[in-house]
Amino acid sequence: MKGARLLFWRLLPTVLGLVGAVPLDAQTTVVEGKVTDARTGETLPFVNIAFVNSRVGTISDIDGNYRLESYYATDSVRASFVGYEPTTVWVKKDRDQHIDLMLQPRSTQLQEVVIKPQERNPAFEILDRLVANKPANNREKLTSYSYDAYNKVEFDLNNVPEKWTTGKLFRPFAFVFDYIDSTDEKPYLPIFITETLSDVYYRQEPKTTREYIRATKVSGIENESISQLMGDMYQNVNIYDNILVIFNKNFISPIADGGRSYYDYYLTDSSWVDRHWCYRMEFKPKRKQELTFDGYMLIADTSYAVKYITAQIALGANVNYVHGFRVEQEYDQVEDEVWMLKRDALVVDLSLLKRKKFQGFYGRRTATYADFAINQEAREEKFAGNERVIMVPDSGSTTDAYWQAHRPEALSKQEADIYKMVDSVKTVPRFRTFVDVVNMLITGYYTKGNVEFGPYYTFYSSNTVEGPRFKFGLRTSNKFSRRVEFEGYTAYGLLDREFKGMVGGQGFITKDPRQILGVYLKHDIEQLGQSQSAFRSDNILSSTFRSNPANKLTLVNEVRASYEREWFSGFNNLLMARYRELYPRGDLEYLHPVFEGNGINVLRSIPRITSFELSLNTRFAYQEKYVAGEFRRVSLGTRFPAFEVHVAYGFPGLFGSQYEYTKLIGRIEQKVPLGILGTFDYTVEAGRIWGTLPYPLLILHTGNETFYNYDDAFNTMNFFEFISDRYAQVMAEQHFEGLLLNHIPLMRRLRWREVVTAKAVVGDLDPKHGSELLFLPGMYSLRNGPYVEVAAGIENILNVIRIDGVWRLTYLDHPDITPFAIRLKFQFDF
């Protein structure tokens, strides 16, 4: 325990440095002046003047004048000349200054020379200068730059078993196995390749980057988002950053400011590389399972810039499904004091299981960069608009002749054959069947011609209102249309003997910009107050994980029409008109106070609640990236906060609507990387409703009555337990990524990761809504203080399971509540 405390206090300054470090853009430092004799005042020519601990220097001219200008400035300048005492003066980095130097004549007495044995690791002197010059060597110091980028990405199926080449099942694919490469440790079959050519532009003020993809070639996948992801911008890793985000994990860079706390360094060689004298430095992780690298780098003398680096993820690092990762980067000095990435190569070995012969994938990426223009700002129109990656029209229509002329390096014969092979595989019926089955497992739908059937996981479910429930759904496929989609389903409950269903569709007005119009009609059962991320009430898993009977349900008749407009990537509006009729089912009952003639207030049951509202939802997530299908897309997130505002107005009397109200809800959410401390996720939300409404139309705080763990729900709160017409809530979660467990020998092999959570909500009800609490037993307001729950858990159990212990800290006197609960969650994460 004493050793653990000692380790903690030793690492604390480094941890804080890595968490709080903010990269600064280097500026040019200019020092000029005159050198004179301190006694006589005479000017001194040919004096050596240089930045201390640097090879950047000059000599004074015949009149004693000197000028030093460099990105690689240190905090002082030293002047030396035969017959004079050396003089050192402080300088201010990143600015112009005039400093006159006066040298004192030296006496001729010889000084005693003391030779001491070297005690310091010789690699540290080189490392210190490398770290000190990071701002100067980071390309983001430049006022502007541009370059041409070529990216080539290939996916290979590895560990291809020999029986596949002879088995009856794969006989239709026999020609494919002619392409197997068995020279690698794992025999692999190339199955996918894509190339892009693009122009990249950067300027510092205002800081803007644009990539224009002018040519793209994809084998097998015809999708613009895939082409964008294969472009330069979304894949580059800047070695000069302290933290390198790879597979959504925070790796410590070998040249991080506090790198010595995580790596051992060895200076092993020095030699000429191209026209630069370079030091070879090896780096190895100090401890097992930390997110570090193993490899070596070549560091150029004088500038102390990285000339070349090769690194692989350290053996045993706590990352799932990645069984090998190697990156090589080569840099070149394209101008004086300007280093740019010239070549980038990456190989990843991915597999769901760690078994030696289990099939997996190689992912290979090669990128080259050329035609650099430094500090030559591009025309303003190159930075117009808000999209960071722009597909040039007809970029996917380039010919083979175009690629042969513009590709910076020729494809190997095997790579060239992949294009032909993929086209041939598409014509094999059994291959199409295989693709359809895999697609069904991922999306839930099975495609047959113009129609997709599903989702399969909603075919059967059950609840106390409907009993066993069976559902059949379908939608049109991309083969039917890539601009219009129709969908619907029908469902039947054996207990209530009532048919439910939905029918509707959506279509593009334009794809660029993204504009979609949708219309849907629904008659079905819903669980009000359920998490947005929860399993659908008709999902078989929802029935499986339920901890309480689903007896507070609502039958909903709904008609909605929507218009979505994306102004630029990450910023969109959704305008929706929605008509709803709510009918209570199960233990729910809608009551309304009625004043009798004698002044007595009587509660009368009402059959339904009718509303019609118009809403506008606005979402802004700067630099958010997506992988998109034709109609649906999945966010890859952004490192910046995402903002969302929802405004709605209820129209009384329109289509029988009974209520007038205004609703306003705002939300901020973000994932914040914290280096070795992991990732911090937070969501802050607040809302208000104006108007007089029944409780189903007020804020029903999100509860959870299942054993499953939902990120956006209060996991020990019951459905309909709390209602408000004004509220504010915060949800925070810290993923430590094995920070502590990785250092416990018995736990290290399990690769478990720690996670803690805290959630709280405050709210209130206007006095006019106070009577709503009487209409449903077990329903309360938050007038007596915040609702709070905390949790601690372990994730990455068997790579996919997370288990949390959840403690409810307030309102423990409510009936039928659970002060402590165990919650389970399945999640796929690297």
Side-chain angles (χ1 to χ4, degrees), residues 755-772:
V755 58
V756 295
T757 307
K759 300 178 181 180
V761 56
V762 296
D764 202 359
L765 277 176
D766 192 278
K768 65 187 176 185
H769 288 138
S771 60
E772 295 295 322

Side-chain angles (χ1 to χ4, degrees), residues 625-745:
K625 300 179 286 288
Y626 303 92
V627 172
E630 293 301 327
F631 298 96
R632 295 162 185 83
R633 57 187 184 178
V634 177
S635 171
L636 298 178
T638 173
R639 60 191 178 94
F640 299 98
F643 302 89
E644 192 167 355
V645 177
H646 178 83
V647 181
Y649 177 74
F651 290 84
L654 193 59
F655 304 113
S657 175
Q658 301 165 313
Y659 305 98
E660 180 180 16
Y661 59 90
T662 302
K663 181 188 298 184
L664 176 63
I665 297 175
R667 180 186 298 111
I668 304 174
E669 57 186 359
Q670 186 182 15
K671 292 181 178 293
V672 184
L674 296 179
I676 64 166
L677 296 181
T679 304
F680 177 68
D681 302 344
Y682 72 86
T683 302
V684 178
E685 180 177 308
R688 175 72 189 266
I689 292 179
W690 292 268
T692 303
L693 298 173
Y695 70 84
L697 298 184
L698 295 173
I699 302 297
L700 301 174
H701 294 290
T702 307
N704 182 13
E705 296 186 4
T706 72
F707 295 111
Y708 202 80
N709 185 4
Y710 295 114
D711 294 336
D712 57 350
F714 294 97
N715 286 295
T716 53
M717 181 187 293
N718 292 330
F719 293 136
F720 293 97
E721 185 177 355
F722 293 99
I723 63 172
S724 300
D725 53 30
R726 71 204 80 168
Y727 75 102
Q729 68 181 40
V730 59
M731 297 183 176
E733 193 164 80
Q734 176 66 40
H735 301 265
F736 288 105
E737 305 290 355
L739 177 66
L740 300 177
L741 296 180
N742 285 345
H743 295 89
I744 302 175

Side-chain angles (χ1 to χ4, degrees), residues 409-437:
E409 54 185 34
L411 295 178
S412 67
K413 182 180 183 303
Q414 186 180 51
E415 291 170 335
D417 287 342
I418 295 175
Y419 287 110
K420 180 175 66 175
M421 181 192 71
V422 170
D423 291 338
S424 301
V425 167
K426 289 180 181 179
T427 65
V428 179
R430 188 167 291 176
F431 173 78
R432 292 303 319 160
T433 302
F434 172 76
V435 171
D436 290 341
V437 171

Side-chain angles (χ1 to χ4, degrees), residues 202-218:
Y202 167 86
R203 67 181 179 189
Q204 191 178 92
E205 295 294 338
K207 194 168 186 177
T208 316
T209 307
R210 292 289 183 269
E211 179 180 4
Y212 289 84
I213 298 180
R214 51 187 164 86
T216 178
K217 189 173 184 181
V218 184

Side-chain angles (χ1 to χ4, degrees), residues 713-717 757-760 787-791 806-810:
F714 294 97
N715 286 295
T716 53
M717 181 187 293
T757 307
K759 300 178 181 180
Y787 174 90
V788 182
E789 66 180 30
V790 296
V806 187
W807 288 267
R808 175 171 170 152
L809 303 184
T810 56

Side-chain angles (χ1 to χ4, degrees), residues 42-59:
E42 295 180 353
T43 58
L44 297 177
F46 312 121
V47 176
N48 296 304
I49 305 109
F51 288 109
V52 176
N53 291 325
S54 169
R55 294 178 182 268
V56 177
T58 188
I59 60 174

Side-chain angles (χ1 to χ4, degrees), residues 36-42 84 102-107:
T36 59
D37 185 304
R39 291 182 181 175
T40 66
E42 295 180 353
Y84 289 85
M102 293 182 291
L103 301 186
Q104 293 283 352
R106 177 188 293 172
S107 63

